[in-house]
């Protein structure tokens, strides 16, 4: 079994976000990057399947050279090798096109990724990849087991969960609790330095979208403390200032 795990390099959730070029570009200066948390779940499950079924795991990333520490961490966790498309991940279609190009050249039984990245939160890539490859795409997957060529899954749906089965190959968008995050040990960190990391140039067309501008959320307002015995004052403020009732 061959598994491709697609990971994103995203700003740490504690990072202070700023923009440059008249708010049209994200400012990377001083930013700590991490593996997308949902991608971490996908990688963890892939490594478990490797240990259980003897699968091979390849990590895939669309990014520039500054994404390589994230890729090396994935190798330290248990992936066998990695591919980096040397390009900025501009939009969902562009990223999906790169994944599909690699998967057409080397077919994979499973293509795993997070249900969405935490920078743009688009949740589109897995669906586009499935369409480009002509194979099913399922998300968000919370449980995954493999029985021969059949994938048995549980996914989250509106108001509940759904148990489904599908034949390989598949594209899956993953989320918790599909697996527990894995922390690389010292042996993994050392061996990751010598694992293959292939760098390829982007395929297909340029992105289909451009960013007009980025905008930070409005700052939080001040807090007003209302004594517990002044319910009428609270109701008035909710109506006149907060305008939520």
């Amino acid at each position: 079994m061959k598994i491709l795990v697609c990971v994103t390099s995203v700003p740490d959730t504690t990072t202070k976000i700023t923009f440059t070029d008249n708010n049209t570009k994200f400012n990377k200066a001083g930013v700590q990057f991490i593996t997308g948390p949902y991608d971490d779940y996908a990688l963890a499950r892939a490594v478990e399947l490797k240990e259980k079924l003897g699968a091979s795991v390849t990590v895939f990333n669309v990014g520039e050279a500054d994404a390589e520490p994230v890729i090396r961490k994935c190798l330290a966790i248990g992936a066998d090798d990695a591919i980096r498309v040397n390009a900025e991940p501009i939009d969902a279609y562009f990223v999906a096109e790169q994944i599909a190009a690699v998967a057409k050249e080397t077919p994979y039984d499973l293509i795993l990724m997070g249900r969405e990245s935490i920078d743009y939160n688009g949740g589109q890539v897995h669906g586009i990849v499935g369409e480009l490859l002509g194979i099913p795409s399922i998300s968000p997957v919370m449980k995954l087991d493999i029985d021969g060529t059949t994938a048995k899954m549980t996914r989250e749906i509106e108001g509940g969960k759904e148990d489904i089965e599908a034949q390989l190959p598949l594209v899956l968008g993953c989320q918790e609790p599909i697996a527990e995050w894995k922390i690389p040990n010292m042996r993994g960190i050392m061996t990751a330095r010598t694992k293959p990391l292939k760098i390829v140039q982007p395929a297909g067309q340029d992105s289909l979208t451009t960013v007009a501008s980025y905008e930070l959320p409005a700052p939080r307002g001040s807090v007003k403390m209302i004594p517990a015995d002044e319910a009428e004052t609270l109701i008035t403020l909710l109506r006149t200032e907060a305008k939520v009732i």
Side-chain angles (χ1 to χ4, degrees):
M1 171 176 286
K2 294 174 67 68
I3 303 174
L4 183 69
V5 181
C6 307
V7 302
T8 53
S9 176
V10 297
D12 189 288
T13 52
T14 61
T15 295
K16 183 178 180 181
I17 301 300
T18 60
F19 304 109
T20 61
D21 293 355
N22 198 27
N23 291 332
T24 60
K25 290 185 178 180
F26 171 65
N27 184 11
K28 294 184 178 182
V31 174
Q32 174 69 41
F33 285 89
I34 61 171
T35 309
Y38 293 114
D39 302 329
D40 265 328
Y41 288 115
L43 176 62
R45 187 59 185 141
V47 171
E48 291 175 351
L49 292 174
K50 170 187 173 180
E51 295 169 349
K52 181 179 179 180
L53 304 175
S56 65
V57 177
T58 298
V59 167
F60 178 91
N61 171 263
V62 178
E64 298 175 319
D66 55 10
E68 292 196 6
V70 164
I71 298 171
R72 288 295 177 189
K73 180 181 177 182
C74 294
L75 292 170
I77 287 173
D80 299 296
D81 59 351
I83 301 170
R84 178 175 68 82
V85 176
N86 190 32
E88 185 179 354
I90 307 169
D91 66 7
Y93 186 85
F94 178 78
V95 171
E97 196 172 30
Q98 307 315 308
I99 298 169
V102 167
K104 287 176 181 177
E105 184 177 323
T106 304
Y108 292 89
D109 301 289
L110 273 175
I111 300 177
L112 304 181
M113 62 189 74
R115 73 175 194 186
E116 62 185 9
S117 62
I118 64 165
D119 47 6
Y120 291 99
N121 299 97
Q124 303 175 62
V125 174
H126 40 74
I128 300 173
V129 171
E131 178 65 22
L132 292 174
L133 295 176
I135 60 177
S137 172
I138 300 169
S139 181
V141 176
M142 307 167 63
K143 182 180 179 182
L144 170 64
D145 291 302
I146 304 297
D147 183 5
T149 60
T150 301
K152 299 180 179 181
M153 298 158 283
T154 299
R155 71 169 177 173
E156 185 176 17
I157 59 174
E158 187 73 27
K161 301 175 183 177
E162 179 182 50
D163 294 328
I164 54 177
E165 294 184 3
Q167 294 298 304
L168 303 178
L170 293 170
V171 182
L172 305 182
C174 305
Q175 70 171 41
E176 74 285 358
I178 193 169
E180 291 188 6
W181 285 351
K182 295 184 181 296
I183 299 174
N185 55 34
M186 184 56 65
R187 183 172 181 271
I189 293 171
M190 297 299 292
T191 57
R193 297 177 180 177
T194 58
K195 289 182 178 179
L197 170 54
K198 182 180 179 182
I199 301 172
V200 300
Q201 296 306 308
Q205 59 185 323
D206 293 334
S207 64
L208 301 180
T209 60
T210 57
V211 175
S213 67
Y214 291 107
E215 184 178 341
L216 292 173
R220 293 183 179 181
S222 59
V223 176
K224 291 186 178 181
M225 303 297 293
I226 309 299
D229 58 352
E230 295 184 16
E232 291 186 4
T233 302
L234 174 61
I235 293 171
T236 299
L237 291 172
L238 290 174
R239 284 176 175 166
T240 60
E241 292 190 14
K243 297 181 180 180
V244 294
I245 60 173

